[in-house]
Amino acid sequence: MACQSSLALGLLLLVSCVSWSSATDYTVGDSSGWATGVDYTTWASGKTFNTGDTLTFNYGSGTHTVDEVSSSDYSSCSSSNAVSSDSSGTTTITLKKAGTHYFICSISGHCSNGMKLSVTVAAAASPSTPSSPTTPSPSTSPGTTTPSTTPSGSMSIGSVRDLAVIGLGGLMGFVLGVF
Ligand SMILES: [Cu+2]
């Protein structure tokens, strides 16, 4: 009895996990926070960002800024055309749009000292992740998995379609016969 109810609960949790995909809050740099001398490319690599997730930048109020900038301004460390800027000490950014988002610190010299972060946000429902400019991982596994090509389903789809065509043809014939 108890076993059955826990199984039902487990299934419910599994279903809710699959269908709800709750938003994740990422603390930028983890315990290092938002500071100079931290490699944010390394921090972001291996993480999957989805729309609705949030980024929290922790730093001393007024000591740094979080500016969202364009791709070219990210490359050149220019904050003159920043989309948004905050220096409150705790900046939370909600990743609303899919695509690549760029953040830099506007304090002179900080961006060139590593205070720049780019995150590639995947659309929440899409299983395909856009190719992000991540560094290739050095760990190459020589043992490749066997390609499992299962042709199950293709035949049944075809026969269902045939049945639908036959059924539609029969219906058309019946309608034409009546009139
Ligand atoms: Cu800074």
Side-chain angles (χ1 to χ4, degrees):
M1 192 169 73
C3 185
Q4 205 170 29
S5 66
S6 66
L7 185 75
L9 191 75
L11 279 168
L12 195 77
L13 278 166
L14 190 77
V15 167
S16 62
C17 280
V18 168
S19 56
W20 290 101
S21 68
S22 58
T24 308
D25 179 63
Y26 293 97
T27 303
V28 175
D30 296 315
S31 58
S32 301
W34 184 231
T36 52
V38 180
D39 189 347
Y40 294 101
T41 306
T42 302
W43 176 81
S45 68
K47 290 182 176 65
T48 306
F49 301 95
N50 294 300
T51 50
D53 289 353
T54 54
L55 296 174
T56 300
F57 296 78
N58 294 313
Y59 52 96
S61 175
T63 59
H64 299 293
T65 76
V66 177
D67 286 29
E68 183 163 4
V69 296
S70 67
S71 170
S72 58
D73 285 353
Y74 172 82
S75 300
S76 62
C77 282
S78 168
S79 59
S80 51
N81 297 306
V83 178
S84 66
S85 183
D86 186 57
S87 59
S88 64
T90 307
T91 306
T92 302
I93 302 278
T94 304
L95 301 167
K96 290 171 187 160
K97 282 188 200 167
T100 309
H101 296 252
Y102 303 93
F103 304 96
I104 65 166
C105 177
S106 68
I107 307 291
S108 180
H110 287 200
C111 175
S112 54
N113 271 304
M115 289 191 75
K116 57 198 293 185
L117 168 70
S118 73
V119 293
T120 302
V121 179
S126 174
S128 62
T129 49
S131 57
S132 55
T134 50
T135 50
S137 59
S139 60
T140 47
S141 53
T144 50
T145 51
T146 49
S148 56
T149 45
T150 46
S152 63
S154 58
M155 203 188 133
S156 62
I157 289 162
S159 54
V160 163
R161 195 172 52 202
D162 286 351
L163 274 170
V165 167
I166 291 159
L168 200 72
L171 195 74
M172 288 274 277
F174 175 74
V175 168
L176 283 168
V178 165
F179 293 105

